[in-house]
Amino acid sequence: MKRILVTGSVGQIGSELTPKLREIFGNANVIAGVNRTQPTGELKESGPFETVNCTDIKQVESVVKKYKVDTIIHLAAILSAVAEAKPNLAWEVNINGLYNVLEVAREHKCAVFTPSSIGAFGLSTPLDDTPQDTIQRPNTMYGVTKVSGELLCDYYHKRFGVDTRGVRYPGIISNVTLPGGGTTDYAVEIFYEAIKNKKYTSYIKAGTFLDMMYMPDAIKAAIELMEASPAKLEHRNAFNVTAMSFDPEIIAAEIRKHIPQFAMDYDVDPVRQAIAESWPNNMDDSCAREEWGWKPDYELPAMTKDMIETLSEKLSQ
Ligand code: SER
């Protein structure tokens, strides 16, 4: 990676991955691709930014040409709950947008990183220790676009030699930018509410386990996979990666170690609950560990402690 374009740079992952890439590869070498939401603060000041709507192939191509981009980190996507409400939009962005990025990458010889997700699985998948290669019959629009995206990335590698790589991210817990419209968002909201109000109403039922990861590990996964020697990669796209698995009761108990008065009740959202139940309880990420040395730094206790310290400071300002 030398000249990098990040699409979706103001989103949950982009707003933290873009500054990290600038730190490593140089501010001028990392272009923040923005669409509707304009960048602010450090993201805006620290390096170049350009309007890149991935559904417009000409826009993607002109930025790649202008900056001689060699790597596209394609983060622009619609998350699961929004995708159920707006399936058309999810197809347009998650499929047609990815197709445009891959076409530009083929033409201009760029490497591409694309996140897939735990959403690429469904009820017929083994939901405990979900294997790397297994049944994938998701019943959500988000899942349909994610499985198709995995296949499309594999195809572009095999057929055209494009250096495509990617991981299946679990729910990402972070404290800079809120996720927008996902099923796993409760695991982020719970921290904001615990600190602000000492209580949280969960839309996910007790006993519903999902894979999760703290943002520093999500960033580490993307960078380490893109820097890994291709010789070692048997899989290229859609590596299972996880750091922890919990249900609402377990994370609430961990938060109570820091905020003893924290109280939680439930008002279950049937749409997001059904989505969560169709996703793995915990994935087996041994292929990522073997092929490129994946190992997370944060488990539940360390993540919770850091989230509470960082967010408490942020929310007190
Ligand atoms: N965090 C995503 C969502 O909940 C899953 O990849 O939609």
Side-chain angles (χ1 to χ4, degrees):
M1 292 198 279
K2 290 195 177 71
R3 277 287 175 85
I4 305 164
L5 166 63
V6 183
T7 71
S9 68
V10 295
Q12 186 195 12
I13 299 176
S15 63
E16 298 198 52
L17 179 56
T18 309
K20 187 71 191 172
L21 291 170
R22 283 183 171 162
E23 195 186 304
I24 300 171
F25 298 97
N27 287 348
N29 294 323
V30 181
I31 299 94
V34 303
N35 187 14
R36 273 167 309 180
T37 313
Q38 289 304 303
T40 53
E42 197 205 329
L43 191 64
K44 185 177 175 191
E45 309 304 330
S46 62
F49 66 93
E50 294 279 349
T51 300
V52 181
N53 176 345
C54 65
T55 66
D56 180 346
I57 193 166
K58 288 206 174 71
Q59 253 177 33
V60 181
E61 184 168 37
S62 81
V63 174
V64 164
K65 275 164 82 175
K66 178 174 170 186
Y67 291 91
K68 298 189 169 49
V69 164
D70 64 35
T71 304
I72 306 175
I73 307 283
H74 180 44
L75 303 178
I78 303 294
L79 290 184
S80 57
V82 176
E84 278 317 283
K86 298 178 183 171
N88 256 341
L89 178 68
W91 185 270
E92 183 64 17
V93 176
N94 295 7
I95 296 289
N96 295 341
L98 173 60
Y99 178 79
N100 290 340
V101 165
L102 290 169
E103 269 299 290
V104 171
R106 177 173 72 83
E107 190 72 30
H108 296 275
K109 307 208 172 345
C110 304
V112 180
F113 174 84
T114 314
S116 185
S117 158
I118 50 175
F121 298 113
L123 279 170
S124 51
T125 301
L127 297 182
D128 289 313
D129 293 323
T130 303
Q132 174 66 39
D133 301 308
T134 184
I135 299 166
Q136 291 183 264
R137 307 284 296 167
N139 59 1
T140 62
M141 185 48 134
Y142 182 67
V144 168
T145 66
K146 287 293 166 184
V147 178
S148 310
E150 292 180 1
L151 295 172
L152 205 54
C153 289
D154 278 347
Y155 180 79
Y156 268 71
H157 173 63
K158 286 208 182 73
R159 177 81 165 79
F160 303 119
V162 177
D163 185 358
T164 56
R165 305 185 190 193
V167 296
R168 292 185 183 124
Y169 276 130
I172 307 290
I173 299 165
S174 67
N175 49 49
V176 174
T177 305
L178 286 167
T183 299
T184 56
D185 297 13
Y186 94 88
V188 180
E189 290 170 5
I190 195 170
F191 283 102
Y192 281 81
E193 293 306 311
I195 291 163
K196 285 194 286 193
N197 303 319
K198 314 238 177 307
K199 59 180 171 37
Y200 179 62
T201 301
S202 174
Y203 59 80
I204 294 293
K205 264 188 208 161
T208 310
F209 280 76
L210 289 166
D211 283 295
M212 299 281 175
M213 182 181 290
Y214 196 28
M215 183 62 89
D217 281 329
I219 288 171
K220 181 169 112 151
I223 295 173
E224 288 186 357
L225 174 57
M226 291 311 284
E227 296 285 87
S229 158
K232 287 195 177 158
L233 300 180
E234 265 172 57
H235 298 83
R236 299 193 60 97
N237 297 290
F239 278 99
N240 286 0
V241 287
T242 187
M244 61 192 93
S245 166
F246 55 75
D247 82 325
E249 290 293 314
I250 291 176
I251 188 169
E254 194 63 36
I255 290 173
R256 259 180 228 118
K257 291 181 186 166
H258 303 266
I259 307 172
Q261 322 87 296
F262 177 60
M264 186 169 68
D265 61 5
Y266 292 89
D267 181 10
V268 173
D269 168 13
V271 174
R272 284 178 289 183
Q273 179 62 30
I275 294 175
E277 284 175 16
S278 76
W279 288 356
N281 302 323
N282 65 291
M283 289 187 288
D284 174 352
D285 61 3
S286 51
C287 285
R289 289 174 189 259
E290 281 155 26
E291 292 177 38
W292 48 279
W294 161 246
K295 192 177 182 301
D297 291 326
Y298 290 85
E299 290 183 1
L300 179 63
M303 177 278 288
T304 304
K305 183 170 180 285
D306 200 66
M307 273 297 280
I308 290 177
E309 283 171 9
T310 310
L311 258 190
S312 299
E313 199 180 315
K314 178 176 163 179
L315 297 175
S316 71
Q317 282 162 8

